[in-house]
């Protein structure tokens, strides 16, 4: 990896030191979360603060699990983030393929429109969405937070940029000459070629959906929360116990951190790939 | 196919193509060769069938692109465009949270009220201040870190993943942790300040201190992400640019300033725009830093997003909340225009 263009110079000890400092700065708050989650609340109100793990982790996790509805929250978040990631990847691949390889009228204008929608943050739409779910009586139901997030302009653009170079036009033409209907072309040609980019987009979308904040805290309550809603409940003082709050934060972050430990390299690669082409 | 004698398969220019799964396509398809070498003239039925097939092919080629992009645009229209426009409509009405479907025409009242509302201007100012003190150091640090990561390093993958880890931490979790670290009495940061002989700071109650604290959460979460974006752009800079600069005797720092930065201009512009959009939307960090929608006892770190939430869901004025949303939208449009102007300028200067 380091043998790429521009990476020809060796970094000295200064570079290494600076990077180590920043890497620690990135990781230590998370380590400290785990330390605080493993202590009693009384110990956290002493000076100096604890620097190593204590023995109360399981107890605090248990309290967070039962009092902050974290079990339900984790299950809901997996459902929500999973559905959003699947639909985003599917629709982004279809649209990205069309924009990358097919000819149709107003294509450039429509692509510009896709890019333009990236500038419109979903936060501006919460009032009408709230009115809609009040009318439909969808408050506290998971579809209320899934449906508005099912497509992403970033995803369309990401897949287009990938397929433009990764999918040889001859391959599509060959399948066409063989008489394949476009649905078959997508299934047998586009999807296999796009698979690595689909995986990356799926992971990025999953992380984003897992951490989605504003709309879920409006649409859901503590009775049927996502992780972020449950954590907001913790942070707004429904549970005063600091060590339990930290245990909740740990529970809500751990699944993504584990995914990072396993797929970190791929996620890093995906973000960088999207960046160069975007 | 690949075992055929060389040159026998003119339809596949690239030897690698048949290995792709797509080439395994078969089905009720005509032979890929021309109809000419057929033994007899095609019967009427075959002609009709092929005409039908070609019509179907035409229709497919013509309409399938629209079918492929339709889901995106339908969902965007339903959950992006329509709500945005309807927010504008709702901002001209008096709407209560308790009966959100009953709208009473109010004209521009919500906007005129907003203009004379001290809390609105306070929130706007806080949003700008926090936006600047979170974005500028973040992007500068990201640029520097990307430069370092672009050297050949031991454990470069570890550094990249480590720097990106905060990105996987949610706003809520990160803010809860930082709120504790910034705690007045038992927080780690005040403890460290006292250790080096400084007096502890009451981070949450001060205007500047609370805004710095909130900004630091944003910086922590996003620096690594932007670092990777810059690193990717740096790796795309052609090596010979550096080589010729080195031949001219340019130091590493001069290479950074005169080769790396100019090559990265479009990327820097992109990250500035994305970070600015993010900064105008700032919400979770100030909400959970003090645990209240007011953003501190004297609204000292209440942002526009938070003020929208307070007006809509705590003061029950959805019409006013909509007016705030549209004010935010206008700010974004202005940012978009500025960005466009700067980008045009950059292109011209090339």
């Amino acid at each position: 990896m380091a043998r790429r263009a521009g990476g020809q110079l060796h970094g000295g000890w200064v570079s290494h030191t600076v990077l180590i400092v920043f890497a620690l700065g990135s990781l230590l708050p998370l380590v400290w979360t785990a330390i605080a989650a493993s202590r009693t609340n009384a110990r956290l109100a002493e000076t100096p603060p604890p620097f190593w793990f204590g023995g109360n982790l399981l107890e605090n996790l248990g309290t967070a699990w039962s009092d902050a509805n974290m079990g339900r929250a984790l299950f809901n978040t997996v459902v929500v983030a999973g559905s959003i990631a699947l639909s985003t990847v599917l629709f982004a691949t279809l649209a990205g393929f069309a924009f990358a390889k097919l000819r149709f009228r107003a294509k450039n204008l429509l692509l510009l429109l896709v890019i333009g929608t990236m500038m419109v943050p979903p936060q501006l739409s919460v009032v009408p969405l709230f009115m809609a779910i009040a009318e439909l009586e969808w408050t506290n139901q998971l579809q209320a937070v899934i449906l508005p997030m099912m497509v992403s302009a970033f995803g369309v653009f990401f897949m287009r940029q990938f397929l433009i170079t990764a999918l040889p036009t001859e391959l599509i033409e060959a399948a066409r000459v063989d008489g394949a209907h476009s649905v078959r072309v997508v299934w047998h040609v586009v999807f296999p070629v796009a698979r690595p980019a689909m995986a990356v987009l799926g992971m990025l979308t999953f992380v984003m959906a897992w951490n989605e904040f504003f709309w879920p805290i409006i649409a859901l309550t503590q009775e049927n929360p996502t992780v972020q809603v449950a954590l907001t409940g913790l942070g707004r003082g429904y549970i005063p116990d600091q060590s339990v709050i930290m245990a909740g934060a740990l529970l809500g972050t751990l699944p993504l951190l584990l995914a990072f430990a396993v797929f970190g390299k791929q996620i890093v690669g995906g973000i960088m790939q999207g960046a160069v082409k975007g | 196919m690949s075992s055929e004698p060389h040159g026998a398969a003119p339809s596949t220019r690239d030897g690698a193509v048949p290995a792709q799964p797509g080439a395994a396509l078969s089905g009720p398809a005509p032979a890929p060769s021309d109809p000419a070498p057929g033994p007899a003239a095609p019967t009427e039925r075959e002609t009709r069938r092929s005409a039908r097939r070609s019509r179907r092919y035409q229709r497919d080629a013509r309409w399938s692109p629209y079918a492929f992009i339709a889901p995106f645009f339908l969902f965007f229209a339903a959950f992006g465009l329509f709500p945005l426009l309807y927010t504008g409509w709702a901002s001209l009405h008096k709407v209560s949270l308790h009966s959100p479907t009953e709208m009473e025409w109010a004209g521009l009242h919500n906007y005129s009220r907003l203009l004379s509302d001290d809390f609105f201007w306070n929130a706007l100012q806080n949003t700008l201040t926090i936006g600047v003190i979170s974005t500028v150091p973040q992007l500068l640090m990201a640029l520097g870190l990307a430069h370092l990561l672009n050297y050949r390093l031991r454990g470069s993958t570890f550094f990249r993943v480590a720097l990106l880890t905060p990105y996987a931490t949610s706003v809520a979790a990160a803010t809860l942790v930082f709120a504790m670290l910034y705690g007045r009495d038992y927080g780690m940061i005040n403890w460290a300040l006292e250790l080096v002989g400084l007096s502890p700071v009451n981070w949450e109650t001060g205007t500047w201190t609370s805004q710095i604290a909130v900004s630091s959460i944003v910086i922590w979460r996003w620096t690594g992400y932007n670092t990777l974006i810059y690193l990717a752009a740096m790796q795309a800079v052609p090596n010979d640019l550096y080589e010729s600069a080195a031949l001219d005797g340019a130091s590493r720092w001069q290479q950074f300033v005169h080769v790396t930065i100019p090559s990265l201009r479009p990327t820097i512009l992109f990250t500035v725009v994305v970070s600015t959009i993010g900064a105008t939307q700032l919400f979770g960090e100030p909400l959970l830093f003090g645990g209240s929608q007011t953003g501190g006892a004297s609204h000292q770190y209440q942002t526009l997003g938070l003020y929208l939430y307070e007006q809509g869901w705590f003061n029950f004025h959805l019409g006013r909340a909509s007016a705030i949303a549209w004010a935010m939208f206008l700010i974004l449009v202005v940012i978009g225009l500025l960005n466009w102007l700067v980008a045009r300028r950059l292109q011209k200067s090339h």
Side-chain angles (χ1 to χ4, degrees):
Chain A
M1 240 188 185
R3 255 152 247 114
R4 298 273 297 267
Q8 79 283 24
L9 291 170
H10 283 272
W13 65 269
V14 182
S15 315
H16 280 94
T17 312
V18 173
L19 285 170
I20 287 170
V21 167
F22 274 88
L24 286 179
S26 299
L27 296 175
L28 282 184
L30 293 167
V31 175
W32 196 77
T33 310
I35 292 176
S38 71
R39 293 287 185 162
T40 62
N41 201 42
R43 177 63 187 87
L44 293 181
E46 282 171 31
T47 318
F51 294 102
W52 194 246
F53 300 94
N56 286 69
L57 182 63
L58 289 180
E59 194 190 323
N60 291 333
L61 289 176
T63 315
W65 187 274
S66 56
D67 292 7
N69 214 354
M70 281 306 286
R72 184 66 180 254
L74 282 166
F75 174 78
N76 282 347
T77 310
V78 169
V79 172
V80 168
S83 321
I84 291 175
L86 277 178
S87 79
T88 300
V89 167
L90 173 67
F91 293 141
T93 309
L94 290 178
F97 163 59
F99 281 121
K101 291 291 166 181
L102 300 179
R103 257 181 284 168
F104 52 98
R105 263 198 215 179
K107 175 167 146 180
N108 291 333
L109 185 76
L110 288 168
L111 184 63
L112 216 63
L113 201 64
V114 172
I115 296 168
T117 63
M118 281 197 251
M119 298 281 288
V120 183
Q123 235 185 73
L124 303 185
S125 308
V126 287
V127 173
L129 289 180
F130 179 79
M131 293 174 173
I133 64 165
E135 181 80 18
L136 295 165
E137 294 181 357
W138 277 8
T139 314
N140 238 347
Q141 296 190 31
L142 293 187
Q143 71 264 32
V145 291
I146 295 174
L147 274 174
M149 303 284 160
M150 287 204 6
V151 295
S152 107
F154 165 77
V156 173
F157 197 65
F158 182 85
M159 291 310 298
R160 171 189 179 266
Q161 299 306 84
F162 177 80
L163 288 172
I164 259 185
T165 47
L167 180 63
T169 310
E170 300 94 73
L171 209 59
I172 308 165
E173 277 163 8
R176 283 281 195 194
V177 170
D178 284 353
H181 189 272
S182 50
V183 174
R184 287 179 66 98
V185 173
V186 166
W187 188 255
H188 291 284
V189 182
V190 178
F191 281 173
V193 172
R195 203 177 291 149
M198 288 165 89
V200 168
L201 179 62
M203 285 190 280
L204 292 179
T205 311
F206 191 87
V207 170
M208 190 216 69
W210 184 282
N211 292 334
E212 185 64 35
F213 190 73
F214 197 8
W215 176 236
I217 73 164
I218 287 175
L220 303 177
T221 69
Q222 299 304 329
E223 279 148 42
N224 195 27
T226 58
V227 165
Q228 307 311 320
V229 177
L231 290 183
T232 305
L234 282 174
R236 305 200 70 192
Y238 299 124
I239 289 169
D241 211 338
Q242 289 288 342
S243 54
V244 175
I245 294 179
M246 289 301 105
L250 189 66
L251 264 181
T253 313
L254 214 51
L256 287 191
L257 291 182
L258 289 177
F260 249 59
V262 179
F263 297 112
K265 216 174 150 180
Q266 282 83 349
I267 295 176
V268 165
I271 289 176
M272 290 178 59
Q273 193 182 48
V276 176
K277 293 170 174 174
Chain B
M1 236 187 193
S2 49
S3 62
E4 273 179 68
H6 190 71
S11 61
T12 55
R13 263 183 284 154
D14 187 347
V17 169
Q20 296 274 2
L25 261 184
S26 58
S33 52
D34 300 340
T43 66
E44 198 186 323
R45 216 180 110 210
E46 272 170 346
T47 325
R48 242 190 296 141
R49 196 201 282 164
S50 82
R52 196 166 56 220
R53 201 177 286 137
S54 119
R55 242 181 295 133
R56 209 191 301 153
Y57 175 83
Q58 293 276 330
R59 222 183 308 145
D60 180 47
R62 183 156 179 197
W63 295 110
S64 62
Y66 296 107
F68 290 150
I69 63 172
F72 171 80
F73 281 102
L74 287 178
F75 272 100
F76 172 70
F79 297 106
L81 186 63
F82 172 72
L84 181 69
L85 297 177
Y86 200 82
T87 304
W89 179 242
S91 73
L92 303 174
H93 291 78
K94 196 176 165 198
V95 194
S96 163
L97 185 79
H98 300 301
S99 49
T101 45
E102 285 166 33
M103 297 167 63
E104 188 187 315
W105 179 258
L108 291 173
H109 174 74
N110 286 324
Y111 289 96
S112 61
R113 202 193 159 282
L114 215 55
L115 292 179
S116 59
D117 180 355
D118 288 342
F119 289 126
F120 172 73
W121 293 108
N122 169 63
L124 182 62
Q125 197 192 337
N126 290 346
T127 307
L128 291 178
T129 314
I130 296 175
V132 170
I133 58 179
S134 63
T135 305
V136 174
Q138 179 197 142
L139 295 182
L140 288 178
M141 284 194 304
L143 211 49
L145 288 170
H147 182 68
L148 295 183
L149 280 175
N150 202 23
Y151 289 138
R152 201 179 286 179
L153 296 164
R154 275 166 195 279
S156 67
T157 304
F158 164 76
F159 287 130
R160 291 173 196 192
V161 175
L163 287 175
L164 193 64
T165 310
Y167 164 81
T169 314
S170 67
V171 176
T175 308
L176 293 177
V177 175
F178 273 78
M180 250 195 109
L181 293 175
Y182 279 111
R184 188 190 60 189
D185 297 326
Y186 311 110
M188 183 81 85
I189 290 167
N190 274 348
W191 172 81
L193 285 178
E194 282 185 284
L195 200 66
V196 295
L198 297 169
S199 52
V201 176
N202 196 347
W203 293 95
E204 205 266 339
T205 48
T207 304
W208 275 103
T209 53
S210 60
Q211 294 187 0
I212 289 171
V214 167
S215 304
S216 72
I217 307 169
V218 182
I219 293 172
W220 182 73
R221 282 190 70 228
W222 290 102
T223 301
Y225 180 84
N226 285 309
T227 302
L228 291 184
I229 305 252
Y230 288 146
L231 177 60
M234 283 178 188
Q235 291 184 340
V237 178
N239 240 337
D240 39 343
L241 283 182
Y242 290 103
E243 278 160 17
S244 57
L247 279 179
D248 291 344
S251 68
R252 280 189 181 189
W253 171 249
Q254 284 170 327
Q255 290 180 26
F256 179 69
V257 172
H258 297 291
V259 179
T260 310
I261 300 288
S263 316
L264 251 61
R265 267 198 301 206
T267 313
I268 293 173
L269 188 66
F270 168 77
T271 54
V272 168
V273 172
V274 172
S275 305
T276 314
I277 295 176
T280 39
Q281 308 300 307
L282 199 68
F283 173 71
E285 291 90 342
L287 173 69
L288 289 180
F289 184 62
S292 156
Q293 69 283 353
T294 59
S298 50
H299 298 244
Q300 66 270 30
Y301 51 90
Q302 186 176 48
T303 55
L304 283 175
L306 208 49
Y307 190 49
L308 185 161
Y309 183 55
E310 187 189 20
Q311 284 296 323
W313 281 268
F314 289 87
N315 300 343
F316 316 126
H317 295 305
L318 286 181
R320 268 182 229 167
S322 305
I324 299 168
W326 259 62
M328 291 163 79
F329 180 57
L330 284 181
I331 295 171
L332 285 178
V333 170
V334 171
I335 292 171
L337 284 176
L338 280 177
N339 163 43
W340 180 71
L341 285 174
V342 172
R344 228 178 44 156
R345 260 260 170 83
L346 280 182
Q347 268 178 350
K348 270 190 186 162
S349 69
H350 266 291

